[in-house]
Every structure is written in C-alpha cells, then in structure tokens.
Amino acid sequence: MAEKQQFDVWKEDMEPVLDSKLDEFHLLGYNRATKEDIWRCVTERLNKKKHYVPFYAFTNELLNLKASVYMTWLTVNSYKEPEDWFAEFEETESKK
C-alpha cells in the first residue's frame, strides 16, 4: 500500500527554497511567478508519482524546476480553470 503524500507539512520548511526559486524566475523575466504557483506546480507533478516521495527528493524536484516546465504547467492550468480574463480590464476601465 502506498503512503499518502503530505507535502503541505513541508511547506514552512521549504520557504527558503521557494524564495530562491521565485528570485530565479524573476531574474529570468517571469515577474508574475508566485511562490504559491511554484508550490502547486511541484506538488501536482509529484502527486502523480506512485511511490512515496521523501523530503530530500521533494527538495531536489523544487530546486530543479525549470522555467519551461513551470510555464507549461501555467498554460495547461489556465485552460483548466475558468477565469474571467476581462475582469482586470473592466476594473481599470471602471476606475477611469
């Protein structure tokens, strides 16, 4: 029987790693990247694995996350999640 992953327990311990990865993405020009999105990207990818992922493997996966993998994940999720794409535009227009 496979053990259930509990990545959320590690989130506080991973803050320095998330900060480092966020800084890396911002330096590469991905200024809209967030720690929460990076976290969700890695945890969703690792939840697909059939075996238990230890802490060191999770850290390695987070540190080795490529910007292209992150951007692909964002693109796929943007199609999955219904979002009002024009809400931001409408807010700025109504303030004028």
Side-chain angles (χ1 to χ4, degrees):
M1 184 169 150
E3 294 181 50
K4 183 173 172 28
Q5 297 290 355
Q6 296 184 0
F7 297 129
D8 291 332
V9 174
W10 298 337
K11 190 169 185 179
E12 187 176 318
D13 295 331
M14 287 292 172
E15 278 297 318
V17 179
L18 284 169
D19 289 336
S20 173
K21 187 52 70 173
L22 182 65
D23 290 344
E24 176 186 335
F25 284 175
H26 285 182
L27 285 172
L28 292 172
Y30 300 107
N31 295 328
R32 297 186 87 182
T34 64
K35 286 194 288 188
E36 190 60 37
D37 283 343
I38 294 169
W39 179 262
R40 283 184 39 224
C41 175
V42 172
T43 55
E44 286 179 16
R45 290 182 65 214
L46 290 176
N47 276 331
K48 294 177 184 176
K49 296 200 183 260
K50 302 253 185 252
H51 61 280
Y52 179 76
V53 179
F55 184 78
Y56 69 87
F58 183 82
T59 306
N60 185 46
E61 189 74 26
L62 187 56
L63 286 171
N64 289 321
L65 178 65
K66 304 285 187 238
S68 60
V69 172
Y70 173 71
M71 293 307 293
T72 301
W73 177 84
L74 276 179
T75 303
V76 169
N77 278 342
S78 71
Y79 290 118
K80 287 180 182 177
E81 297 174 0
E83 223 177 272
D84 188 4
W85 294 353
F86 300 106
E88 183 178 322
F89 176 74
E90 290 171 354
E91 288 176 11
T92 56
E93 286 297 315
S94 66
K95 291 180 182 178
K96 288 183 179 180

